Amino acid sequence: MSNPAPVIAIDGPSASGKGTVAHKVAEALGFHFLDSGALYRLVAMAAMNRGIELDDAPALAALALDLDARFDSSTIKLDGHDVTDAIREERVSGAASKVAALQPVRDALLARQRAFREAPGLVADGRDMGSVVFPDATLKIFLTADAAERARRRYKQLIEKGMSARMDVLLQEIRDRDARDSKRAAAPLQKCADAVELDTTGIPVDAAVAQVLALYRGK
Ligand code: DC
């Protein structure tokens, strides 16, 4: 059997800069990219569109299995509609965090996530990439930044996209989501023993990208 394609797993809390760092690492290496959080956001959005309750685990799992989601380099489509920006709205963030706490939903998304592992390699961004989805990843990174810095980054992102945002609300939402993501029973957010922790507070994105690339090349 041939060796599976290498995986760089990048896990960490919301707005830690994971998405940007993971994307740039993938670009630098010519690797595929998995934004696993987008899958949970898509399930949440599809559920809201269809009027499915956010605690109806069997219905949500069925939805996750059948999700008509398409990713290309810059857009994400749900049921054929471009939802690239819409899935980043705060109401979807809150709903995604609820559906992500349900084990049947996580199970339903497992095969879909693993299918992204193709040559020449994959950079996978999420919460449980190193612990559950790709436990044999070549390199596991746990990327963090303090909550206030993460709220500032989220604020900047939303304002740049022309959306409205309030710092105090964002900070509270980030703290609530951290608590929910870390305390849930199903695949809680935590650093794996074999992950390298990178704190990006006050560090420019390109420096974080360079650190990840150096760690990967050193493997
Ligand atoms: O990374 P993000 O903010 O787009 O993730 C959206 C939600 O999905 C967030 O509440 C955490 C959850 N999530 C998860 O539980 N497991 C993943 N692998 C990725 C995201």
Side-chain angles (χ1 to χ4, degrees), residues 81-163:
H81 301 288
D82 184 343
V83 293
T84 318
D85 291 332
I87 58 165
R88 305 291 159 198
E89 286 172 15
E90 285 305 304
R91 76 186 181 101
V92 182
S93 302
S97 164
K98 288 179 189 148
V99 306
L102 303 170
Q103 189 64 52
V105 172
R106 306 195 71 84
D107 293 343
L109 290 177
L110 208 49
R112 193 185 286 258
Q113 294 177 84
R114 289 185 175 149
F116 279 76
R117 183 177 201 165
E118 279 183 15
L122 174 69
V123 180
D125 158 4
R127 303 293 187 291
D128 61 344
M129 299 297 98
S131 55
V132 176
V133 183
F134 304 107
D136 63 337
T138 318
L139 174 65
K140 299 180 185 179
I141 302 284
F142 193 76
L143 211 74
T144 60
D146 71 38
E149 166 124 358
R150 289 188 281 133
R152 276 194 296 278
R153 289 178 187 168
R154 185 71 99 195
Y155 180 83
K156 195 163 159 260
Q157 266 175 5
L158 292 172
I159 297 297
E160 278 170 5
K161 285 187 177 149
M163 298 180 190

Side-chain angles (χ1 to χ4, degrees), residues 57-72:
L60 291 166
L63 191 61
L65 271 182
D66 281 348
L67 202 63
D68 176 10
R70 254 164 281 157
F71 291 80
D72 70 29

Side-chain angles (χ1 to χ4, degrees), residues 18 36-37 40-41 97 100 106 126-129 181 184:
K18 274 180 305 130
S36 62
Y40 291 96
R41 290 171 181 274
S97 164
R106 306 195 71 84
R127 303 293 187 291
D128 61 344
M129 299 297 98
D181 292 344
R184 69 185 183 208

Side-chain angles (χ1 to χ4, degrees), residues 27-44:
E27 234 170 49
L29 295 169
F31 278 15
H32 299 280
F33 176 61
L34 165 63
D35 175 359
S36 62
L39 288 172
Y40 291 96
R41 290 171 181 274
L42 288 166
V43 173

